[in-house]
Each structure stands twice: as structure tokens, then as C-alpha cells.
DNA sequence: GGAATAAGTTTCGAATGAGAACCTAATATT
DNA sequence: AATATTAGGTTCTCATTCGAAACTTATTCC
């Protein structure tokens, strides 16, 4: 039935199978999560500071921070000097979201924001702006959607360069 | 006051200023948007097909598709052969979300998914899996969070390599 | 013509969001 | 020591959104 799509090389049925996207979205898909993350990357650490920067409601912020901590993206720790204060800091798992956040940000900049964004993320070594986030082959060639294909993991453990079978579907058909 | 952060080079106050992230989230931050996008990248085109793959409610799907069309990520077009059917296809703007989606997916795979994901996105040319999405300098060096810094656009139009001022803050402090 | 299919809408209860006021513990002020 | 202030939350409402199921409309199949 519904035999309109010729390929078997499509990502399987739903998200039960091995795909990281639903798992990522479970945490980061919620309404303010990415904005909180952005603030964290900008050095924001404290509750009231998030509140000011984001204009989010207190209860929502409280809830989101708890979830981000629970999922290991932030750590919550009491300040040594002032024991009222609490610091929310990025973990390695949190820092590892930077490429995703930047890719999203760059997309927004390119397609929705009229003006180029003002503070520019730069290479600390030479002060040059970072380049656009791209998809790359194992040898660092930049790949466009036409040059991509899904393959079953079982077919590639052999590691040899393969002639892609004709029925393999690229992302652009 | 609250003088715990030494730097002025922090991204400004809120999202009023030039940041693409809130703009990106306005469309893609909603509950099912990324999952619909993933399905689109996998060749899903039709309403009932999205419905099956995602397990989303009809009315929500209808709403999300409309918003994705409205924001230029998908186009809605009548099928030529069967005029009941409607195709939702990715636009260039939609395809351009692939790096963000993959970065998110890779993050989920790395940190939340136990098992390596089964269909692997590969270079169509040589069949090798793509590499992890990374942040790169203008000369393609891979950059970690410690090697990044925010700079004001006005300071870098001059284009010369700069010695980063001491008070410039990297993302990891 | 009658059944089936595709793509929606409508309806309504459940869950989630936002705003404001309130609360508690630790510090600062007098 | 008594009081005020600050930091980080809760609790309370109310509005919006989500979700499941039933209903609608246009087209194609038999």
C-alpha cells in the first residue's frame, strides 16, 4: 500500500529506532531551552540574571533549569561566598550543544534576520569570524544535500569504498 | 553591581538585538517542527504519510505544516496525477536546516542514545559516513569552546588579524 | 452511483504556558 | 538584635496549546 516511494533506504518508521533527534528534542525541544542555553554560553549563571536577559516567567525558568540540570546539560551548585546564590554552569554535554545552537542561529541569521548579527563569534586565535557550519565528508569536503545518502550500518562496517547502488536515494531525489 | 562577570564582550541584553536564534526558534522551536523536517528529509511528502511516521495528531500536523509553509521551509503543491493529493516539499530554505538538524541528531546520538544509530548519513560519492558537525575557523581548523570569543562587528571590518585583548572572554572562561 | 481515499476542520477535555503574588533562607543595615 | 533586602523558588490563577476522536469535502476507483 501507499507504494509511492521506491526506496528502502529511508530512515525507519518512527523514532523508536536509532535516531538521536527525538532524544535531543526531548530536552531541547521545549520552549525556552535553547534561549537559556544561549544565555549560558554567554556567561549567564544566576537565576535572576536569566530572568532579566530572557524575560521569561519565574516558574517556567525554574522548571526549565531543573530539566536542564536533570538531563545533565547544566550543573547546579551553591556559591561558596554567598550561600543564597546558585550557579548554573554548562557541563561538557551542554558545551557539546554549541554546534547545534550555532547552526540554528546561523540559519536564522541567513534567512530571517535582515541585518548581520552584531556580536560575531570568532576564532580566539586570529580574531576572524568562524565559518558557516556545514556537513562534511570524512575527508572534510563540504557536502550539500545532493551528495548525501542514507546507508544501513551493516553495509558499511566492511569499510571499503562502495559504489552506491542505483536505488539508493539521495536527499534531494 | 553583580560584578561577577569581567567582560563587556557578552552578547547583548536580550534577543531584540541581532541574533538569529530567536528567529529560528520561532518556526523550528515548536513541538513537532523538527520531526516533520526530519521526515521531509527522508522523502515524506504527503499528509497521511507524515501522520503514520510521526504519530502526531491530525489537527496539529495540519497546523505545523501550514506554519512551515508560511515560513518558507516547505512548499505545498497539488499533485498533477491525483488532485486529491498534496505534496509538501522542502525549499532551499528548508534544506538549509540540515546542518542544524544533524548537529542536534548527532548530539542526541552521542549523549542520550545508547546504541549507534542505524541508518547512517553518508557521503554519496564514496559511501563513507559523514563526520561530526563541528565549529571551524575561516581556514577550516576545528575549534572547541575554549578557542572561541565574541567580537563586535565594528572591530573586525578592518579585517586584520588581531591580538585578542586580554579582557576578551572565551566561552569557557 | 456508491465506496474509498486524501487532506483537512471541529469539538472538547487534558496538559502546558505565562503573570502575579507569596514564601524561605541567607545576607546586609541600623 | 531587629529589620530590610536579595536570591531563588513555590503557588495560584488564567489563557493557550495539545491531543484524540468525530465530522467534512473533494476526488478517484469500482
Amino acid at each position: 500500500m501507499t507504494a509511492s516511494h521506491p526506496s528502502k533506504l529511508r530512515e525507519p518508521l518512527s523514532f523508536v529506532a536509532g535516531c538521536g533527534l527525538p532524544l535531543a528534542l526531548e530536552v531541547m525541544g521545549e520552549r525556552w531551552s535553547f534561549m537559556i542555553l544561549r544565555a549560558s554560553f554567554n556567561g549567564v549563571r544566576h537565576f535572576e540574571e536569566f530572568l532579566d536577559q530572557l524575560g521569561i516567567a519565574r516558574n517556567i525558568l525554574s522548571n526549565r533549569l531543573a530539566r536542564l540540570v536533570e538531563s545533565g546539560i547544566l550543573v547546579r551548585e551553591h556559591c561558596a561566598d554567598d550561600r543564597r546564590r546558585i550557579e548554573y554552569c554548562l557541563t561538557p554535554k551542554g558545551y557539546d550543544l554549541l554546534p547545534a545552537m550555532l547552526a540554528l542561529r546561523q540559519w536564522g541569521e541567513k534567512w530571517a534576520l535582515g541585518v548581520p548579527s552584531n556580536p560575531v563569534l570568532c576564532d580566539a586565535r586570529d580574531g576572524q569570524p568562524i565559518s558557516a557550519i556545514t556537513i562534511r565528508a570524512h575527508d572534510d569536503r563540504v557536502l550539500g544535500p545532493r551528495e548525501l545518502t542514507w546507508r544501513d550500518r551493516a553495509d558499511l562496517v566492511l569499510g571499503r569504498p562502495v559504489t552506491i547502488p542505483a536505488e539508493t536515494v539521495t536527499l534531494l531525489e
Side-chain angles (χ1 to χ4, degrees), chain A residues 135 143-149 170-173:
Chain A
I135 298 161
L143 299 172
R146 305 200 96 95
E147 300 161 317
L148 293 167
T149 187
T170 68
L171 286 177
L172 260 182
E173 307 213 315

Side-chain angles (χ1 to χ4, degrees), chain A residues 3 10 27 34 39 58 63 67 69 71-73 84 86 95 97-98 106 108 131 133 143 147 160:
Chain A
R10 173 177 302 166
V27 205
F34 261 110
R58 295 182 88 82
N63 184 303
R67 291 202 20 99
V69 168
S71 60
I73 290 166
R84 288 172 303 183
I86 284 178
Y95 275 111
L97 276 166
L98 188 55
Q106 286 177 356
S131 62
I133 295 206
L143 299 172
E147 300 161 317
R160 45 154 168 64

Side-chain angles (χ1 to χ4, degrees), chain A residues 38 42 102 105 109 113 116-122 129:
Chain A
R38 187 192 78 151
N42 285 317
L102 285 177
R105 185 186 143 121
E109 241 168 81
L113 193 68
S117 72
N118 187 306
V120 184
L121 191 59
C122 291

